[in-house]
């Protein structure tokens, strides 16, 4: 008989990307893990987006920080032992606190942390060191939602749940490209529309992939959301559809708020004028909202990332309070969270203006938290928020900083100023799982190797208040440790051993749950007291659940506020009149465009994880600026050229992408590239550091900018098995390639210099070369044992070489002689398919493959493409592009039938 195969068990865990909080099944396979969606998880029911589907490609250790490191006098890093590193962290913090006081130290945390990591960091700083200088990159993400919730509800409470997306009759998406940024939820919305006929309204300055699916699209002017929703409130009042009983019984401030909204939006024409939107479209939106009881308004970064973000949030909430459409099935305002554990961080006080368990800084709450923790030195006031924290570092007020699991030298506004500030620190500690990023390169003194997804264990909370387990399915590599363990070790060295005696994430979670129930009795929204007595086995087996969960026998409460019960002193919801909206900075002759920033479909934050996947890199492999064709024509720009984008804070160089969906007078740039992955695309350097006075969230969507041509003589690409350092004068962008690294570049150097560069990279390997000086073309390739290990193609910038065919050969384990000869011809061999630019990242389906299926009749529409090629059948985020390709192919066929020839493929 054959012996049974010892197969590791499948581990149920949670995705580490956005706030949807999808359940994941991880099956360790000896090299990493096979990844699939968890069909039993109520957030996704087995569906994963392109990023989640590619998680198995991001588990390699090549880029990992695996040992504690100390910076040397020459700027290099040397390995050390944990005790030495931790002693230096503790000694440095102790020295600064003794000399300059507790407010001279700070922690900057991340929505990538687990709740348990967040909890101990906040407890140490706010209860034992005595400062609230603890903030998080969630400040850049959802802080305006927090502030708006607290103003209206008295607590940071999300009233609804994902099930509302299934039963709403009207879904309003404002400031949210959910088709790309929350694709699992967006497909849930699309299923509701298909099955039940729900209507979709999208409000956004750009015609995004989400807007392409809308029944009604409002291309609103940047920053004018408050005007639109103020006008909606006035319309609801004038149409006599207010829920006067709900307003009178459960709210306060309505009359003053309505008067304030009328002043901002006195008429439909005034709304249309200020928002730059067609009056007929606004009237249609108002009618849809008025006539549809089951309405849910989902909003994300387009609302939050604004110097008036809190007002925008409250303007939305006002309309739901006024109609009583809150806390009921299919109704309510719904904040779509950006990060996997932004909600969990908010639960434990991860923001500088919060204490743990959704408590604030009132004397009563400070006393309560202090008694529970037995804390010797409770912080007595709010700390500095993210942008102000780094300004305080620049001024020398904060002298010691610990950054955990985030990259502020890329993601914060005025990123160049942030990097300069970091270099002034007396003590700069970074706990990370990557060996190098822009923040580390800004002069970190101590590097601590952190456990990554798949290795760490604890909990996260998603956008619908659902707490799920992240479980380890891989061993800790090298000397990596969880962040909570590092903080605990430093706390013990600072003399707080009794309060930080945790041995596991379960220990911390139990204490977190107990604090949530401490002196609560329903007075605070966040209560998971039922989990305070879980034993280790029960914690290990914990199934996803929504809070509140005050006791084991308490009925599940999935929605809030349908019958009032707000968390204000009088238990009534608050209407809040927004201030008249205005962008923080106005455009002028020097900076005539409004710069908008955001995410793309297949990448996440600064790409330290998602950037490792060749699949995810294939869709949009280089940084770009999106501009309307008419604006491009006026600026002398054409599609595919390079342009220099400048603001009063910095400049970048990016590839031009023309888009009819881009608003005139506006530019869009993605946030993901850093100094590690591109030469001049750190978008944080462009962004205005002005912040919302209440939330502290920066104005990331509306910075005055200019755009101009960036001319280069040559352009090309490099594929290499090893990392490559390009000449300093080169514009370049790096992306993952199957089996190695890909670089797209542009330069003004000579072909001879690139020939010398290629020969240096090939080293002892024979180099095959092709040089055509009259056509300014150079190609080179090096092989080892039949495998392509390096190639460089350079040509005129106006006719830059395309790399899809070469990438197909680079992915092969071995090439035949004929294929090697074909490579330098600039074409691929017939038996190596050139799939073209990837459209469906989930299944790696390229543009050429899709066009071939349509042109041969193997597929005729999006549905049959899915049947033939599987594209669009997983996360669905490529569906808008597939629809465009189907239309374009049909137009080409019609042209061919009419003129008897096939036109050339275009973009």
């Amino acid at each position: 008989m054959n012996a049974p195969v010892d197969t590791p068990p499948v581990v149920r865990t949670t995705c580490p990307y956005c706030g949807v909080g999808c359940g994941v099944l991880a099956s360790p396979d000896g090299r990493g893990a096979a990844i699939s969606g968890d069909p039993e998880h109520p957030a996704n029911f087995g569906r994963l987006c392109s990023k989640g589907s590619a998680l198995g490609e991001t588990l390699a250790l090549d880029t990992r920080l695996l040992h504690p490191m100390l910076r040397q006098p020459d700027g290099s890093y040397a390995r050390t032992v944990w005790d030495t590193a931790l002693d230096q962290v503790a000694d440095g913090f102790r020295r600064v606190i003794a000399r300059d006081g507790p407010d001279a130290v700070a922690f900057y945390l991340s929505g990538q942390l687990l709740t348990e990591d967040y909890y101990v960091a906040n407890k140490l700083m706010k209860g034992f060191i005595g400062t609230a200088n603890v903030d998080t990159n969630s400040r850049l993400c959802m802080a305006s939602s927090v502030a708006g919730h607290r103003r209206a509800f008295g607590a940071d409470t999300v009233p609804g749940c994902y099930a509302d997306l299934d039963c709403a009759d009207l879904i309003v998406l404002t400031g949210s490209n959910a088709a790309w940024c929350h694709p699992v939820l967006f497909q849930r919305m699309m299923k509701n529309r298909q099955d039940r006929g729900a209507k979709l309204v999208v409000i956004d300055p750009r015609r995004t992939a989400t807007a392409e699916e809308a029944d009604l699209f409002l291309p609103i002017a940047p920053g004018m959301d408050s005007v639109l929703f103020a006008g909606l409130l006035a319309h609801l009042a004038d149409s006599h559809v207010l829920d006067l009983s709900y307003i009178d019984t459960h709210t306060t401030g309505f009359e003053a708020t309505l008067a304030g909204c009328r002043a901002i939006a006195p008429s439909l024409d005034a709304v249309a004028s200020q928002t730059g939107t067609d009056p007929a479209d606004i009237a249609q939106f108002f009618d849809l909202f008025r006539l549809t009881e089951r309405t849910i308004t989902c909003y994300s970064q387009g609302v939050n990332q604004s110097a008036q973000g809190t007002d925008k949030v409250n303007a939305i909430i006002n309309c739901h309070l006024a109609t009583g459409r809150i806390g009921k099935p299919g109704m309510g305002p719904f904040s779509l969270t950006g990060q996997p554990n932004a909600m969990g961080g908010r639960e434990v006080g991860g923001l500088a203006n919060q204490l743990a368990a959704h408590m604030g800084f009132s004397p009563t709450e400070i006393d309560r938290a202090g008694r529970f923790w037995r804390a010797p030195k409770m912080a007595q006031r709010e700390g500095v928020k993210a942008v102000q924290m780094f300004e305080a570092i620049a001024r020398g007020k904060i002298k010691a900083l610990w950054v955990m699991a985030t990259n502020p030298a890329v993601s914060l506004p005025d990123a160049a100023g942030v990097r300069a500030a970091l270099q002034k620190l007396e003590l700069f500690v970074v706990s990370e799982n990557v060996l190098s990023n822009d923040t580390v390169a800004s002069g970190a003194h101590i590097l601590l190797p952190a456990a990554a997804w798949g290795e760490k264990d604890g909990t996260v909370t998603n956008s619908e208040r659902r707490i799920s387990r992240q479980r380890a399915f891989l061993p800790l590599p090298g000397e990596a440790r969880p962040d909570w363990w590092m903080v605990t070790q430093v706390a013990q060295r600072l003399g707080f051993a009794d309060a930080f005696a945790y041995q596991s994430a379960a220990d911390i979670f139990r204490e977190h749950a107990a604090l949530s129930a401490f002196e609560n009795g329903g007075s605070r929204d966040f209560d998971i007291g039922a989990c305070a007595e879980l034993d280790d086995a029960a914690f290990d087996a914990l199934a996803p659940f929504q809070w509140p969960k005050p006791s084991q026998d308490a009925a599940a409460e999935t929605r809030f506020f349908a019958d009032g019960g707000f968390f204000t002193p009088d238990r009534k919801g608050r209407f809040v009149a927004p201030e008249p909206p205005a962008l923080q900075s106005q455009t002028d002759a020097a900076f005539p465009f409004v710069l908008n920033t955001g995410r793309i479909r297949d990448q996440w934050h600064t790409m330290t994880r998602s950037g490792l996947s060749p699949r995810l890199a294939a869709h949009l492999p280089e940084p770009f600026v999106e501009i309307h064709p008419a604006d491009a024509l006026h600026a002398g720009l054409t599609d595919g050229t390079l342009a220099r984008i400048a603001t009063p804070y910095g400049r970048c160089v990016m590839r031009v992408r023309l888009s009819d969906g881009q608003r005139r007078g506006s530019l869009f740039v993605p946030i993901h590239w850093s100094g590690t992955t591109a030469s001049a695309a750190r978008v944080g350097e462009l962004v205005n550091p002005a912040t919302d006075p209440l939330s502290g969230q920066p104005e990331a969507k509306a910075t005055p900018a200019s755009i101009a041509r960036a001319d280069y003589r040559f352009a090309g690409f490099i594929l290499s098995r090893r990392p490559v350092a390009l000449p300093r004068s080169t514009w370049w962008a790096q992306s993952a390639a199957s089996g190695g690294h890909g670089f797209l570049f542009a330069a003004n150097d000579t072909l001879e210099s690139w020939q010398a560069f290629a020969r240096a990279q090939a080293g002892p390997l024979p180099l095959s070369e092709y040089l055509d000086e009259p056509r300014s073309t150079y190609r080179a390739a090096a092989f080892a044992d039949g495998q392509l290990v390096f190639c460089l193609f350079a040509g005129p910038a106006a006719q830059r070489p395309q790399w899809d065919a070469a990438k197909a050969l680079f992915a092969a384990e071995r090439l035949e002689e004929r294929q090697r000869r074909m490579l330098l011809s600039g074409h691929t061999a017939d038996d190596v398919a050139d799939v073209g630019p990837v459209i469906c990242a989930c299944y790696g389906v390229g543009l050429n493959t899709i066009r071939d299926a349509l042109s041969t009749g193997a597929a005729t529409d999006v549905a049959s493409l899915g049947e033939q090629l599987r594209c669009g059948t997983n996360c669905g985020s490529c569906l808008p592009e597939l629809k465009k390709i189907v239309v374009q192919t049909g137009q080409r066929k019609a042209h061919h039938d009419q003129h008897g020839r096939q036109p050339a493929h275009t973009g």
Side-chain angles (χ1 to χ4, degrees), residues 110 124 127 222 227 274 325 333 365 404 419 428 437 445 470 478 495 538 550 552 594 612 620 633 658 717 775 876:
S110 166
L124 173 60
V227 173
Q274 293 182 73
R325 297 174 184 172
E365 291 166 308
M404 301 182 197
R419 292 199 312 282
F428 180 17
N437 63 23
H445 300 117
Q470 263 196 26
Q552 294 292 353
V594 176
L612 301 176
L620 293 169
L633 181 65
L658 303 187
F717 65 83
R775 291 182 173 83

Side-chain angles (χ1 to χ4, degrees), residues 103-271:
D103 286 336
V105 301
F107 285 176
Y108 188 60
L109 311 179
S110 166
Q112 306 292 303
L113 293 173
L114 301 188
T115 299
E116 293 72 23
D117 303 319
Y118 256 130
Y119 181 86
V120 293
N122 275 280
K123 178 180 176 181
L124 173 60
M125 286 292 274
K126 293 175 180 172
F128 291 77
I129 289 176
T131 180
N133 286 347
V134 183
D135 214 49
T136 164
N137 61 13
S138 296
R139 180 70 62 189
L140 313 180
C141 171
M142 304 308 295
S144 295
S145 286
V146 176
H149 289 163
R150 292 175 73 177
R151 282 208 296 186
F153 307 147
D156 178 20
T157 312
V158 174
C161 56
Y162 292 166
D164 294 325
L165 301 174
D166 304 327
C167 60
D169 296 317
L170 174 63
I171 300 170
V172 180
L173 279 169
T174 180
S176 168
N177 186 9
W180 277 19
C181 299
H182 297 94
V184 169
L185 292 185
F186 187 69
Q187 289 309 306
R188 206 161 165 170
M189 300 175 201
M190 292 299 94
K191 188 174 189 304
N192 180 5
R193 186 169 73 164
Q194 177 180 333
D195 294 349
R196 299 183 58 259
K199 298 293 186 181
L200 176 68
V201 175
V202 174
I203 303 163
D204 200 296
R206 301 167 60 220
R207 182 178 286 276
T208 62
T210 305
E212 293 287 349
E213 300 294 320
D215 297 289
L216 175 63
F217 170 52
L218 300 181
I220 192 170
M224 294 297 109
D225 308 72
S226 297
V227 173
L228 181 65
F229 284 93
L232 175 59
L233 184 68
H235 172 80
L236 295 171
D238 294 340
S239 302
H240 308 292
V241 294
L242 303 177
D243 188 333
L244 297 177
S245 175
Y246 188 92
I247 292 171
D248 292 342
T249 306
H250 300 302
T251 71
T252 63
F254 174 72
E255 294 297 337
T257 296
L258 179 60
C261 288
R262 289 194 190 279
I264 293 171
S267 67
L268 189 146
D269 286 340
V271 173

